[in-house]
Amino acid sequence: MMKRFAFRQVAYFGGLTVVLGICAAAFAVSLPTLIITYCVIIGIGQGIIYPATSLAINTYFREKRNVAMGFSVTLTGLGPILMPLLIVVLLENFATTGTLLILAGIAMHSLVGASLLRSFEEQKEPSVPIDKTTDISKMENSLVDIEPNVENNAVQRQLLNEGNAEEERQLYHRPENSKTEDSRQTSFLRKIIANMDLNLLRDNRYIALILGVGVSFVAETNFNAMIPFVLAELASLDRTSIATVMSVQAAADISGRLCVPLLAQKTGWTCRNLYVLSLLGSTVGRTILSTWGNIYAIVIGVAVIVGLAKGTKAVFQALIIPDYVPLERLPAASGILMVCNGIMSISVGPIIGLVHDSTDSYVGALYFTSCLSLSCVFLWLISGLWTLGRNKNQQNLSEKQENSREKI
């Protein structure tokens, strides 16, 4: 859909699907009806509207994409904090059906947001007199702006031209008498490959990228769901204390979503580096919780660490794919990533529960989720997606810039 229609149209369709699902769920009287309306219809709508809004942000914002995504994810994170308070008031006054219909009306406002989505429009620069000083200044600025992205630009050009090159090889290296038969037999398969851009799976680094994100997504999602049970078992906290810890984590989460992108914009750290840093922070927090989880002050400190890591991961997880592939292939690349996340959730997620059942403790489950998160770091390290020698690369880049200036 993102390849055939504009992201504004796709966002309209996704928003209307969510509204339809909420309205239908308001009148559900049986479990199968609730599964169809809430799980299927609303799930499809959310799966449609998310790539549209994500692509709009990554298309419109070029230089300050980290900050824009940080604000977007921060406002999204306020929903789970404010909506439960509103739902409690609505349930007391309008019962379940009325509350869901009001929520459908609130969801209808997403059409207003969809109307504001638009692509980036290049502004024409006024013509200026050309002289040597202007030429040298422009060349120096272009070297400073372009050279830090040499590797990513090369990968994007390779991905963008890969599909056309493959079609040319298949076209010119086949016998004449078999062209018609082969085209009839493989036309349907080629349409699927072309429409879903499955040629991305030929890139080993892209496969390592989505596998790492998928495994870490499962680990972090399951850990966030286990936190209340872990606190009740390891720290022996009551409901009030658990709610306090969760509030501290939520505050740190919002702070991480808002502040870390601003710091990243100043320091120039890449999305992958910050994502790896968030995984390491979550791993450290889980390790401390497993060892000293019976001390309340340490539990509060772990909540701060885990909250900051969670907020950082929420922002930069949405920027990893746009930072690697060109915008022309972003819809397909994001779709493949979402499918990978779903498959990982179904296949790897239950293993965490099995580890807990076999050990009869959440300590083993925490260590297992940490191993899953670290597997993403290790996979990216061996595939070259994340390197420890960033400073050395920056030094070599600076030397190249100096040599280019001397040549000018």
Side-chain angles (χ1 to χ4, degrees):
M1 292 174 63
M2 292 302 305
K3 294 181 67 176
R4 293 181 177 270
F5 305 100
F7 43 70
R8 180 181 296 178
Q9 298 172 334
V10 177
Y12 279 143
F13 182 69
L16 289 175
T17 304
V18 172
V19 173
L20 176 62
I22 297 176
C23 290
F27 302 98
V29 293
S30 62
L31 182 60
T33 306
L34 189 62
I35 290 176
I36 294 174
T37 55
Y38 176 73
C39 300
V40 178
I41 299 179
I42 297 179
I44 290 175
Q46 291 177 341
I48 292 174
I49 198 172
Y50 174 76
T53 54
S54 178
L55 180 64
I57 293 176
N58 289 299
T59 302
Y60 185 82
F61 295 96
R62 304 293 179 90
E63 296 180 357
K64 297 184 178 181
R65 184 181 295 172
N66 296 346
V67 179
M69 186 62 70
F71 284 129
S72 174
V73 176
T74 300
L75 295 177
T76 304
L78 294 178
I81 299 176
L82 301 178
M83 289 303 293
L85 303 176
L86 175 62
I87 291 174
V88 170
V89 176
L90 293 177
L91 287 173
E92 293 177 353
N93 294 276
F94 301 100
T96 303
T97 301
T99 299
L100 288 175
L101 292 177
I102 294 175
L103 292 178
I106 296 175
M108 186 70 76
H109 288 75
S110 62
L111 301 181
V112 179
S115 301
L116 301 176
L117 300 180
R118 63 189 180 93
S119 59
F120 181 81
E121 297 178 358
E122 296 285 352
Q123 297 180 354
K124 296 183 180 180
E125 297 182 357
S127 59
V128 294
I130 300 176
D131 55 14
K132 288 186 177 181
T133 305
T134 304
D135 290 342
I136 293 175
S137 177
K138 287 183 178 180
M139 295 179 72
E140 289 180 350
N141 292 333
S142 64
L143 285 171
V144 174
D145 294 336
I146 295 176
E147 287 200 13
N149 298 320
V150 170
E151 181 181 356
N152 282 339
N153 290 338
V155 172
Q156 291 183 359
R157 286 196 299 269
Q158 179 182 358
L159 288 172
L160 192 59
N161 297 327
E162 189 177 45
N164 295 331
E166 181 65 21
E167 291 180 359
E168 291 178 359
R169 286 196 297 269
Q170 293 179 357
L171 180 63
Y172 290 105
H173 291 279
R174 287 184 301 167
E176 292 290 336
N177 55 1
S178 62
K179 286 184 179 180
T180 304
E181 296 179 359
D182 291 345
S183 62
R184 290 177 180 176
Q185 294 175 358
T186 61
S187 59
F188 180 72
L189 182 60
R190 287 181 181 178
K191 287 181 180 180
I192 295 178
I193 295 175
N195 291 330
M196 297 186 176
D197 206 355
L198 297 181
N199 284 322
L200 286 166
L201 299 178
R202 296 178 181 271
D203 184 6
N204 294 329
R205 298 183 70 189
Y206 173 75
I207 294 177
L209 194 70
I210 62 174
L211 288 178
V213 173
V215 172
S216 60
F217 172 80
V218 174
E220 300 300 324
T221 302
N222 282 272
F223 170 65
N224 294 328
M226 289 191 303
I227 287 180
F229 305 100
V230 173
L231 295 177
E233 179 183 296
L234 298 182
S236 300
L237 300 180
D238 54 9
R239 292 183 179 180
T240 303
S241 300
I242 292 175
T244 302
V245 174
M246 298 301 294
S247 299
V248 172
Q249 178 184 329
D253 184 0
I254 297 298
S255 301
R257 298 183 186 207
L258 186 61
C259 299
V260 174
L262 297 175
L263 296 176
Q265 187 71 24
K266 298 294 183 180
T267 59
W269 277 45
T270 63
C271 301
R272 275 168 273 177
N273 287 339
L274 289 168
Y275 187 78
V276 169
L277 184 63
S278 69
L279 296 180
L280 295 177
S282 296
T283 301
V284 171
R286 285 190 291 266
T287 303
I288 296 175
L289 186 62
S290 302
T291 307
W292 297 286
N294 56 344
I295 304 176
Y296 187 71
I298 293 180
V299 171
I300 294 294
V302 169
V304 174
I305 296 174
V306 172
L308 291 174
K310 182 182 176 182
T312 303
K313 182 181 69 66
V315 174
F316 294 99
Q317 181 177 351
L319 297 174
I320 291 175
I321 296 298
D323 188 55
Y324 184 77
V325 302
L327 290 177
E328 292 82 358
R329 309 189 76 172
L330 181 57
S334 300
I336 295 174
L337 174 63
M338 294 176 69
V339 172
C340 179
N341 290 344
I343 295 174
M344 289 291 181
S345 298
I346 297 173
S347 58
V348 181
I351 300 178
I352 300 176
L354 293 176
V355 172
H356 168 265
D357 295 341
S358 61
T359 59
D360 196 21
S361 173
Y362 281 103
V363 175
L366 290 177
Y367 281 121
F368 183 70
T369 53
S370 297
C371 292
L372 292 178
S373 297
L374 292 178
S375 66
C376 172
V377 179
F378 178 74
L379 184 61
W380 286 7
L381 186 61
I382 62 176
S383 61
L385 291 168
W386 178 66
T387 57
L388 298 174
R390 181 177 179 273
N391 295 332
K392 183 178 180 180
N393 294 334
Q394 287 294 113
Q395 183 178 1
N396 294 334
L397 184 59
S398 301
E399 293 177 357
K400 291 181 180 179
Q401 293 177 357
E402 292 295 332
N403 294 334
S404 302
R405 291 192 181 96
E406 292 177 358
K407 292 181 181 179
I408 293 176

